[in-house]
Amino acid sequence: MNGRDAVLKLLRRLVAGQTIGPFVALVLTMAFFSYKSDRFLHAQNLSLVMQQVMVVGVLAIGQTLVILTAGIDLSCGTVMAFGQIVMTKLAVANGVPAVPAIILGILTCIGFGIVNGGLVTGVRLPAFIVTLGTLNIALALTHIVSNDLTFSGLPSELLYFGRTFRLAGADFTYGVVLMLVLYGLTWYALTQTAWGRHVHAVGDNSEAARLTGIKTGRVLLSVYAIAGLMYGIAAMLLAARTTLGDPNAGQTTENLDSITAVVLGGTSLFGGRGSVIGTLIGATIVGIFRNGLTLIGVEVIYQYLVTGILVILAVSVDQLTHRRRT
């Protein structure tokens, strides 16, 4: 098999089955906005879309893992915001070197993930209730720790993934590259490893998975911990993109956008079925809608209206599909 055949085979595997619908939706969305705006398909505009997507895209990786296990994480955006405040305050106000500050911020987010996973597995609380609680805890801690101050003058190491390089006549950030690498690694882990098969099995039927010998508690705990890792990386990307440590950043729309990306990407809210590649497509669709509607002069409030309609349609399709399967 030559290199071209190998690439085509990989593309067919990536864009197949559950991702066909989201991929077709992505193509139709791009076709619509390219017809409505001459600027949409410009390389610089498309690179801007990817820069806008990268933070939500990384958040949505963690959200995908949680939803695959039939859970949901309402706290992802606020946990990310708190992780961002931890790393920026340590680096700016407390004189901690940038790299240790970043690591401590990411570890803070992982800690929230472990708490979420521990309560879901150990106390057997519903993920919705647990993450609703940690959403409020992370929100409060963000404002308490920051004293509602915005931290500027971030060290260069914190801004690295916001730097750009030139490709095909457009500027792309290193953060976009990191996001794509994370998607590739997660896709491999979910499709090519025993851990990935266990994640799908737990989401499909937790009791049946337990009876086959899968340590369901350990799997769930690992999923929430890895989700926390993704939120921490997203916090680093948010700081790099905005060049600030803002206590108000990422606490509302990012929570909803991450769930929207997962649902639009074809991952079932009932668990056990979905693809992280579909999530990448879903996140891109959300970014394209926001960008395209802005280009054609639609007010921001109507952008939220359209996004809400898309979520309802996607969940309706998921519900109908689940009914047919059962």
Side-chain angles (χ1 to χ4, degrees):
M1 181 183 295
N2 58 38
R4 180 185 173 185
D5 291 338
V7 171
L8 290 174
K9 182 179 179 181
L10 178 60
L11 288 175
R12 281 195 295 268
R13 289 184 65 185
L14 292 177
V15 186
Q18 296 158 1
T19 60
I20 278 292
F23 182 74
V24 171
L26 174 63
V27 172
L28 292 176
T29 302
M30 293 185 68
F32 173 77
F33 285 118
S34 63
Y35 171 74
K36 298 294 289 184
S37 173
D38 294 336
R39 292 183 294 163
F40 177 74
L41 286 180
H42 287 185
Q44 190 62 38
N45 183 63
L46 293 178
S47 73
L48 177 61
V49 170
M50 295 309 297
Q51 291 174 42
Q52 294 169 337
V53 163
M54 70 180 185
V55 174
V56 170
V58 174
L59 275 181
I61 295 175
Q63 191 72 254
T64 300
L65 295 175
V66 173
I67 291 178
L68 277 174
T69 61
I72 195 165
D73 192 345
L74 302 179
S75 68
C76 60
T78 50
V79 169
M80 174 189 70
F82 183 49
Q84 177 210 206
I85 286 300
V86 169
M87 60 182 67
T88 54
K89 182 177 181 179
L90 286 174
V92 174
N94 299 110
V96 176
V99 173
I102 292 171
I103 292 172
L104 289 171
I106 292 175
L107 288 175
T108 298
C109 295
I110 294 173
F112 267 92
I114 292 172
V115 169
N116 285 338
L119 290 172
V120 169
T121 59
V123 188
R124 299 190 180 279
L125 294 176
F128 181 91
I129 299 300
V130 170
T131 58
L132 181 61
T134 51
L135 178 155
N136 286 283
I137 292 170
L139 176 64
L141 288 175
T142 298
H143 290 281
I144 291 170
V145 171
S146 68
N147 290 318
D148 285 326
L149 298 175
T150 297
F151 301 98
S152 58
L154 305 185
S156 60
E157 293 89 345
L158 257 171
L159 303 177
Y160 176 79
F161 287 103
R163 295 176 185 170
T164 60
F165 61 94
R166 196 78 175 167
L167 180 66
D171 296 317
F172 291 88
T173 64
Y174 290 103
V176 171
V177 176
L178 176 61
M179 177 190 72
L180 295 176
V181 169
L182 291 173
Y183 268 96
L185 293 173
T186 308
W187 172 83
Y188 180 85
L190 285 173
T191 61
Q192 307 298 315
T193 68
W195 177 81
R197 291 190 291 274
H198 292 170
V199 169
H200 284 90
V202 169
D204 191 48
N205 190 320
S206 178
E207 182 61 19
R210 186 186 67 81
L211 292 174
T212 61
I214 295 174
K215 297 185 183 301
T216 56
R218 187 178 298 177
V219 171
L220 284 171
L221 190 60
S222 69
V223 161
Y224 281 93
I226 294 171
L229 169 64
M230 294 301 165
Y231 307 156
I233 295 173
M236 177 183 67
L237 294 179
L238 180 62
R241 183 169 180 268
T242 61
T243 70
L244 296 170
D246 184 357
N248 297 307
Q251 295 187 4
T252 52
T253 57
E254 275 75 2
N255 279 330
L256 299 177
D257 282 355
S258 69
I259 298 172
T260 302
V262 176
V263 172
L264 289 179
T267 295
S268 174
L269 290 172
F270 298 97
R273 183 171 57 87
S275 166
V276 73
I277 300 302
T279 297
L280 176 58
I281 296 172
T284 306
I285 291 173
V286 173
I288 285 174
F289 259 98
R290 295 271 169 84
N291 176 266
L293 291 172
T294 299
L295 287 178
I296 63 178
V298 176
E299 294 182 23
V300 173
I301 193 63
Y302 291 103
Q303 297 178 23
Y304 290 112
L305 174 65
V306 172
T307 302
I309 293 171
L310 287 174
V311 173
I312 292 172
L313 289 174
V315 172
S316 299
V317 171
D318 180 38
Q319 178 76 14
L320 292 172
T321 303
H322 180 72
R323 286 178 182 174
R324 290 196 193 101
R325 291 181 67 201
T326 56

